[in-house]
Amino acid sequence: MLRARLAAACLTWLAAAHAGCARDDAQARATGARGESACACAPAQVVDPTLLAFLSRARAAHHTADVTLGAGDRAAAIRALEGIIAAPRPPGAPPEVAEVIADTYARLAEIRGEAGEFDAAARDVEAGLALAPAPSHFQGHLYEVAGVVEERRAKALDERGEREAAAQVRKRAVELLERAISIQDQVITEALKSAPENPR
C-alpha cells in the first residue's frame, strides 16, 4: 500500500545518504586525503528534511483516511487525502512528491468509485496520470484503478437494466486493465535489464 511505499521512500533517501558517505570515505582513503570526510555534511545535503516532512505528513493523512473510513466517515477520509494534494510541496518538487500525489489521486478514485461516484473517480485518475506521464508503477496503478472504476460503473448500469451501455463500459474496463498489465510488465522488464547478473 501507499504507506509502505512512503516509508520505503524515506529509507531510500537515507540509504542514498549512507551510500554517498561510503563513496566519499573510500575516495578519501584511496587518494590519501586528510582532514574530515565529506561524509560529515552529506546526509544534510542528500536527505531533504522538507521532503521527509512531506512524506510523513502524507503517511499520517493516509492513516487518518483509514481510521475515518473504518468509522464510516467517507467525507472525512476524502478531506484528509485532498489535504495531501493541497499541502505545500518541498522546493524543487522532487519526483517522490509527484508519485505520492499521483497515488493519492488513485486512492481517492478508489473511494469515490466504491461509492458510485464514477465521473469524479475518473477525474481523479486523469489528475493522477498528469503526474505520472511515463511508464511506472504509479502510472500502471492508476490505469488499474481506472479499470476497476469502469468495472463498477458497468455493474451499476447492468443493475439498471442498461445492458448495451454496460457492455461498452465493461469493454473499456478490460482495455484499461490490460493497459495496466502492459505498463507493469514494461516496468518489470526494464528493471530486469538494469539488474546485475546473478553470480555463478
Side-chain angles (χ1 to χ4, degrees), residues 32-89:
R34 297 179 179 179
E36 290 189 8
S37 165
C39 179
C41 63
Q45 294 173 341
V46 176
V47 182
D48 181 350
T50 310
L51 174 60
L52 294 180
F54 179 86
L55 294 174
S56 178
R57 185 197 186 287
R59 192 166 58 247
H62 277 271
H63 277 297
T64 301
D66 289 342
V67 173
T68 51
L69 280 173
D73 193 345
R74 191 175 64 88
I78 288 174
R79 284 196 301 273
L81 296 173
E82 288 179 335
I84 298 172
I85 297 165
R89 303 179 188 183

Side-chain angles (χ1 to χ4, degrees), residues 53-200:
F54 179 86
L55 294 174
S56 178
R57 185 197 186 287
R59 192 166 58 247
H62 277 271
H63 277 297
T64 301
D66 289 342
V67 173
T68 51
L69 280 173
D73 193 345
R74 191 175 64 88
I78 288 174
R79 284 196 301 273
L81 296 173
E82 288 179 335
I84 298 172
I85 297 165
R89 303 179 188 183
E96 291 82 358
V97 172
E99 291 169 353
V100 167
I101 296 174
D103 230 26
T104 299
Y105 273 120
R107 190 171 186 197
L108 282 167
E110 289 174 339
I111 293 171
R112 289 183 169 126
E114 288 172 356
E117 299 173 5
F118 305 120
D119 291 341
R123 288 193 293 271
D124 285 329
V125 169
E126 289 301 316
L129 287 172
L131 296 168
S136 67
H137 159 77
F138 299 96
Q139 187 189 68
H141 180 54
L142 281 157
Y143 278 107
E144 175 194 350
V145 171
V148 172
V149 168
E150 293 306 287
E151 178 187 359
R152 289 182 172 134
R153 190 198 298 267
K155 183 178 179 180
L157 289 168
D158 262 334
E159 289 173 351
R160 295 202 299 265
E162 301 179 37
R163 307 300 183 194
E164 185 176 344
Q168 293 175 352
V169 172
R170 193 171 291 110
K171 180 181 177 182
R172 169 68 174 161
V174 171
E175 291 171 350
L176 289 165
L177 292 168
E178 288 178 343
R179 186 163 184 181
I181 293 169
S182 176
I183 291 168
Q184 302 297 20
D185 281 345
Q186 184 177 345
V187 170
I188 294 167
T189 299
E190 291 301 316
L192 291 174
K193 286 180 181 177
S194 61
E197 295 184 4
N198 293 329
R200 294 185 179 183

